[in-house]
Amino acid sequence: MELKTVLYEKKDNVAWITMNRPDVLNAQNAQLRNDMLAALDEARLDDEVYIIVLGGAGRAFSAGADISEWPKMFPMDTLKDFYGNRRFYELMRAIPKPIIAMVNGYALGGGCEAVMACDIVIASEKAKFGQPEVKIGIIPGGGGTQILPRLIGEKRAKELVMTGDFITAQEAWQMGLVNKVVPPEKLLEATQEMVAKLKTQSPVTLKFCKLAVNKSLQLPLDEGLKAEQDIFALCFSTEDQKEGAKAFLEKRTPKYKGK
Ligand code: COA
């Protein structure tokens, strides 16, 4: 795998993926989107990777789509371009492994949409979130008008999308877009703590957790509850379910195999 704009490091069953165009605040051009697809696919297919952490190099998580590509763009170009964009977020939602966003700074436009596609979000107090597309004559194109209202509610989403205003990490936490806000110097440590917590669980059970909760964003309640019932039943086919129950009864820590 040859990556030009993304760093990939695998360590102790965790894939650390870092968007790496710091000079332009990790703006997402076609190269970065392709690199993200390759890096995410590598992590998806690697059985030794249980958890993925997504971050940004420099002072931003990502300031969104690379606007320099846009003055000459026409509708058919955007369809081609955004197909790649959507795939990157869709792949994140589809990968059956937890993805933690480690948000150091700006998460705007496509950067905010990448945050939405992660499962758990740890943010620095310095982070800023927003959908500023309206200010350059467009609407969000990677979930900002569809996923965001489901996460923070219609009115708040409309305010963000219509004003293009940025919100602080604390405000994003209050709205439910962020799980935890920490001082900048504690961002890595807080992320590692979350990684450690998730690593005590069975990777196969985490997969089912993600699949089941993702259904709640896609399905009407009755269908979602049915999907939950099916996934719940599937848990009983795993060795880790037997081990989890046994370990509890024997008052010991479970030894999970991810099977
Ligand atoms: N696309 C392309 N380049 C971008 C970019 C983007 N989305 N966001 C930032 N950059 C570039 C800037 O052009 C600048 O490049 P330069 O040094 O060659 O001039 C560099 O990144 C640093 O950004 P700058 O604007 O100087 O930093 P700042 O701290 O003053 O402002 C932001 C930071 C995030 C507020 C501002 O860069 C911004 O509003 N970016 C656009 C965000 C956006 O609209 N995203 C949605 C796109 S659809």
Side-chain angles (χ1 to χ4, degrees):
M1 177 177 56
E2 199 196 322
L3 303 173
K4 293 196 174 111
T5 58
V6 165
L7 306 174
Y8 186 96
E9 189 194 359
K10 185 173 101 175
K11 203 174 166 201
D12 300 331
N13 303 109
V14 182
W16 295 80
I17 299 178
T18 308
M19 293 175 275
N20 189 32
R21 297 183 77 215
D23 294 348
V24 287
L25 309 185
N26 304 316
Q28 300 166 16
N29 61 0
Q31 178 73 50
L32 185 133
R33 283 194 289 275
N34 284 336
D35 285 349
M36 278 300 299
L37 283 170
L40 288 166
D41 233 19
E42 173 83 16
R44 178 177 72 87
L45 292 168
D46 188 337
D47 288 338
E48 288 175 3
V49 169
Y50 298 162
I51 295 159
I52 299 164
V53 178
L54 177 62
R59 66 185 172 100
F61 179 76
S62 168
D66 190 325
I67 301 168
S68 71
E69 291 182 340
W70 289 18
K72 290 183 186 155
M73 228 177 229
F74 287 93
M76 290 316 287
D77 302 320
T78 69
L79 288 180
K80 190 172 139 202
D81 180 57
F82 266 45
Y83 176 61
N85 201 352
R86 271 207 307 275
R87 271 175 64 207
F88 151 26
Y89 307 132
E90 278 165 17
L91 182 56
M92 286 169 72
R93 273 185 271 275
I95 290 178
K97 304 179 182 187
I99 306 183
I100 302 173
M102 182 169 73
V103 187
N104 51 330
Y106 290 112
L108 305 173
C112 193
E113 290 167 327
V115 164
M116 288 176 223
C118 290
D119 302 302
I120 292 179
V121 183
I122 313 285
S124 151
E125 283 165 353
K126 279 190 176 170
K128 291 235 162 49
F129 300 80
Q131 297 291 158
E133 288 89 343
V134 68
K135 292 180 177 174
I136 53 169
I138 55 168
I139 68 164
T145 70
Q146 301 303 305
I147 308 286
L148 192 60
R150 285 168 162 84
L151 298 181
I152 67 172
E154 176 214 347
K155 303 292 180 258
R156 284 169 166 162
K158 279 185 178 157
E159 186 179 344
L160 286 184
V161 168
M162 288 179 174
T163 63
D165 282 352
F166 299 166
I167 54 169
T168 63
Q170 195 61 30
E171 288 168 322
W173 175 77
Q174 277 161 348
M175 291 179 188
L177 188 58
V178 162
N179 295 78
K180 197 168 187 160
V181 182
V182 295
E185 66 278 9
K186 299 265 184 207
L187 182 61
L188 181 61
E189 191 184 317
T191 305
Q192 282 166 333
E193 276 169 18
M194 183 57 73
V195 164
K197 214 180 263 192
L198 294 179
K199 275 171 76 174
T200 65
Q201 315 299 350
S202 154
V204 72
T205 314
L206 288 176
K207 167 181 173 163
F208 291 145
C209 291
K210 178 164 176 170
L211 282 177
V213 179
N214 280 2
K215 294 280 180 203
S216 75
L217 291 173
Q218 297 155 354
L219 298 175
L221 184 59
D222 56 343
E223 286 176 40
L225 288 169
K226 175 73 177 76
E228 181 189 77
Q229 209 174 29
D230 292 342
I231 299 170
F232 177 75
L234 211 52
C235 292
F236 289 83
S237 69
T238 69
E239 290 180 29
D240 285 352
Q241 176 274 321
K242 304 285 173 284
E243 168 63 7
K246 243 174 124 215
F248 175 82
L249 295 172
E250 291 167 8
K251 300 190 188 309
R252 61 174 175 81
T253 308
K255 286 197 188 93
Y256 291 127
K257 295 181 187 159
K259 290 186 197 168

